[in-house]
Amino acid sequence: MAEHHYTVTATWSGNTGTGTSGYRDYARSVTLEVSGKPRLLASADRPFRGDPTKWNPEDLLMSALAECHLLSYLHACVTRGVIVTSYRDEATGTMVQEGNGGRFSEVVLHPRVTVADAAMIDDAIAAHHDANEWCFIASSVNFPVRHEATVTVG
């Protein structure tokens, strides 16, 4: 069994002068850093007093699920002999707020895939099942990650 380790540095930059003296007295600004990569400016989502122009944890979770499925899907297509010429996903997610916390109840991926030949469509559709099983991120969450894919020939 192989292990892979990841490190992210999260630095709060939202002290407006009085720290966390009150709920409305600080900004939710965060800088996320991974060595050798561009910094990512993040915040809380707007309903939680965050900056809507910055990435928030919900955006990042959705992005991780969408990208992981995409990368797993491309690999599944290679193993099935499917030539993908384009892929675009507009993922949607539902989060339910419960008191001071909350949880995602589901994420639905909506990949629009173009393949090189009509004979590849059935395998291209089946590859989404493989990708869903192989995606490390989808396997790590406690809510359903579904996909409603469209496959066309380019």
Side-chain angles (χ1 to χ4, degrees), residues 31-52:
T31 302
L32 301 173
E33 297 175 87
V34 173
S35 180
K37 298 179 184 180
R39 290 180 176 169
L40 183 62
L41 301 180
S43 182
D45 195 11
R46 173 175 270 181
F48 310 108
R49 303 194 53 78
D51 181 342

Side-chain angles (χ1 to χ4, degrees), residues 124-145:
I125 292 168
H128 283 288
H129 175 75
D130 298 339
N132 198 52
E133 288 187 1
W134 298 347
C135 173
F136 304 132
I137 308 302
S139 298
S140 300
V141 297
N142 66 353
F143 53 84
V145 179

